[in-house]
Amino acid sequence: MWAMIVRRLSVSAISLALLVTLVFFMIHATPGGPAYSILGSHASPQAVAALNRQMGLDRPLPEQYLIWWAHLLEGRLGYSYIQHVEVSHLIGVYLERTLILDLAALGLAIAVAIGVGLLQGYLAERIGGRIIGFFQIVFYAMPVFFTGILLIYAFSMQLDWLPPGGVGHTLAGHARHLVLPVLTLALPIAAGFSRYFGHQAREEYRQDYVRTARARGLCEWRIATHHVLRNAVRPFITLVGMMIPVLFVGGVLTESVFNYPGLGWLLWRSALDQDYPTVSAITLIIGVLTILGNLIADLLNSMLDVRVRYE
Amino acid sequence: MSADPLVAVESLRVTARRAGRTYPIVEDVSFQIEAGSLLALVGESGCGKSLTAAALLGLLPWGLAIASGRIRLEGQDVLALAPAQWRRLRGRQVGAVFQNPLAALNPSLPIWKQVVESAQLAFGLDRPAARHRALELLERVGVPDAAQRLDDYPHQFSGGMRQRVAIAVALACNPRVLVADEPTTALDLITQAEILGLLNRLRLEQGLAVLFITHDLSLVAEYADQVLVMYAGRVVEQAEARRFFAGPRHPYSRALLGAIPRLATPEVRLTDIEGLPPNPLDYPSGCRFAPRCPRVIDRCRSEDPPPVGDERQRVFCQRPWAAEGI
């Protein structure tokens, strides 16, 4: 078990190093180099050369690469020439808002997926199971901006129950502002998750141990929660880990529809402004979160797998 | 025995619905099993023997239903019960063991939890009491070093041991009826004999009424009190075991016995049965065995076979073999 954890941690470390390297080359691959994007495409060659020297971009690439690592280890993600601020200062508050939105949506999606998936697995080919399957496809296919605008139209404009966007200033205000974006972001994810988990649950319901459980008089609720769930949940955990970048991409759209100032919104603005240091830093953060998500999913899985635990 | 039988099935009929039509899958099956007695329900795959057991347990697969008949467990008419009440009888009055012990246990729960789960729910045992009960049950079914194995998981047991654990699961609430649906089919010959011996010992010790389902007549020759042979959803022969093994009267029963290899007389050629059993959605009229029967006459194809004989040995056939005098 411990050998497995060490092995898994080293895989994550290697992935992280590769990610950092990739982002480094991504910055250097910007058309014309960073100086052009700062000074504009009509800048004189002298001005570009001067800026390159000032930023250390005229040094050999390996040296710049080492400096990039040194800065990262100090927690410096770069300097935004558009906003004139250290990217790490910029990102903090946006990252927090995004984590709140994404984790709330993820939690809701997982809860819905497990409930709906167990029901779907139990119903199998019965009419109820088919109806659930139909709505999963519909909700999965609905684009975030469409759902978002529909929800804003219904709950903000017609019913006037919830704000159409932005953030609140009190705790209750925050919560009220989160309801619609969380629903919008969670809906397609819940649809995808529940379809996958429903399939897993259905496979488990076909297993003989379910019949044995029924034959000893257990009720369906107990069979679902104590037997099927336990076995169906492991591949699902892997899927959730893998879906974290997708969740974030959905978050970009959701945050722009609801004008919610999170990391996705910042990514969208920075991309429009060609603020490459900020875009690279956000890419790096998403990458780190993805690697962490997969690591947690794998560790959880091995803890739940009795065969791994007892070896 | 003068007491009421523990299991009484009367004219059971199970039907399947497909595309708006209903098809009979099991027709007119009746039997009784008394305490301490073993009834062997025999037939080829697809003859309806497992569905008869599933009906008795109230666990028919979706799409199948009991169309008519009566099932009484310890005198209680279970078909008159609400589903939740019937569910409560499972485990407490009737336990079940199935064919594939490798899949019958939940792979991610330690065995002691599975063995006593129903007893915990039924009697509200606390954890130490439940573990004690699990130990007692595992010892009763002959799991060696049971005390050390309580926390083991199913994959740490061999097939035979898992079937012993599955039997312990079935007996956790002291049911008086046990349904054993091909419990030894997936096991090797030595283990088969051990599991059979265990089931027989438990039946004698606890006075269990056992419904033993198998496609292999030789397995039950030693232990059965009654034999019921099914073919294509119907009973073809039903007899006291002594009479049946002395001389089965239905051509199908004879053919089944003829297909068993014998160590003592290896020079006798095995006979197999020509053809395949009919499709349940398209049963032939008259006797359903007629297309494969060596003794078939014209009337077999047009008329349902009449019952012949008495309750000690009844056969449904136009031309049965003569009864052996006992």
Side-chain angles (χ1 to χ4, degrees), chain A residues 74-94:
Chain A
E74 289 168 23
R76 287 164 63 190
L77 295 167
Y79 187 83
S80 165
Y81 298 98
I82 308 292
Q83 313 230 24
H84 298 289
V85 62
E86 275 284 337
V87 175
S88 36
H89 294 309
L90 189 63
I91 279 176
V93 61
Y94 290 94

Side-chain angles (χ1 to χ4, degrees), chain B residues 139-141 196-206:
Chain B
E139 279 172 348
R140 193 189 299 168
V141 297
L196 269 175
L198 169 67
L199 284 174
N200 193 52
R201 198 192 80 213
L202 291 169
R203 139 173 101 111
L204 298 176
E205 282 174 7
Q206 305 187 18

Side-chain angles (χ1 to χ4, degrees), chain A residues 52-275:
Chain A
N52 273 343
R53 198 161 38 251
Q54 189 196 330
M55 293 195 298
L57 289 171
D58 56 342
R59 296 186 199 175
L61 213 56
E63 195 183 330
Q64 290 190 44
Y65 180 66
L66 291 177
I67 292 169
W68 163 246
W69 266 107
H71 283 175
L72 281 186
L73 294 177
E74 289 168 23
R76 287 164 63 190
L77 295 167
Y79 187 83
S80 165
Y81 298 98
I82 308 292
Q83 313 230 24
H84 298 289
V85 62
E86 275 284 337
V87 175
S88 36
H89 294 309
L90 189 63
I91 279 176
V93 61
Y94 290 94
L95 177 62
E96 188 189 316
R97 291 204 196 98
T98 286
L99 284 180
I100 291 172
L101 172 65
D102 286 8
L103 289 180
L106 188 67
L108 180 66
I110 290 173
V112 169
I114 286 177
V116 171
L118 283 174
L119 183 65
Q120 193 180 16
Y122 169 73
L123 292 172
E125 282 301 310
R126 273 167 265 197
I127 189 79
R130 288 162 194 243
I131 291 172
I132 292 174
F134 172 76
F135 280 104
Q136 280 165 337
I137 296 286
V138 169
F139 289 137
Y140 187 70
M142 261 168 46
V144 159
F145 55 83
F146 177 70
T147 322
I149 289 166
L150 213 65
L151 287 178
I152 291 173
Y153 178 77
F155 291 100
S156 305
M157 293 165 69
Q158 295 299 314
L159 297 169
D160 201 20
W161 287 352
L162 292 162
V167 284
H169 299 288
T170 59
L171 194 63
H174 274 302
R176 275 169 54 81
H177 279 85
L178 270 171
V179 174
L180 292 184
V182 165
L183 280 180
T184 305
L185 185 55
L187 195 64
I189 298 170
F193 279 6
S194 67
R195 193 165 183 83
Y196 184 81
F197 185 69
H199 182 76
Q200 294 296 328
R202 196 173 150 186
E203 287 299 308
E204 292 301 326
Y205 267 110
R206 288 191 185 143
Q207 301 297 314
D208 283 355
Y209 70 81
V210 172
R211 182 177 56 178
T212 314
R214 286 187 179 132
R216 70 189 118 128
L218 304 187
C219 64
E220 288 299 327
W221 173 257
R222 191 174 170 92
I223 290 170
T225 55
H226 283 67
H227 292 273
V228 172
L229 177 60
R230 194 178 283 267
N231 289 299
V233 85
R234 289 204 298 113
F236 180 62
I237 291 174
T238 309
L239 175 82
V240 171
M242 272 166 35
M243 287 296 282
I244 283 174
V246 177
L247 180 72
F248 195 86
V249 171
V252 174
L253 289 168
T254 310
E255 288 178 10
S256 22
V257 168
F258 287 95
N259 221 14
Y260 181 87
L263 215 53
W265 182 85
L266 183 66
L267 180 66
W268 177 55
R269 301 294 319 176
S270 309
L272 288 181
D273 294 343
Q274 304 195 336
D275 185 353

Side-chain angles (χ1 to χ4, degrees), chain B residues 261-321:
Chain B
R262 279 172 209 286
L263 288 175
T265 50
E267 69 278 10
V268 177
R269 271 187 72 84
L270 290 181
T271 50
D272 58 355
I273 310 172
E274 292 282 320
L276 290 168
N279 179 350
L281 303 186
D282 188 24
Y283 278 138
S285 60
C287 174
R288 289 172 184 172
F289 188 58
R292 299 169 79 187
C293 185
R295 289 167 64 85
V296 63
I297 51 176
D298 281 348
R299 205 164 39 175
C300 296
R301 301 187 202 276
S302 52
E303 289 172 29
D304 277 349
V308 178
D310 55 22
E311 72 266 19
R312 289 174 306 170
Q313 182 165 22
R314 178 163 288 136
V315 56
F316 293 82
C317 188
Q318 302 282 0
R319 270 184 81 201
W321 293 89

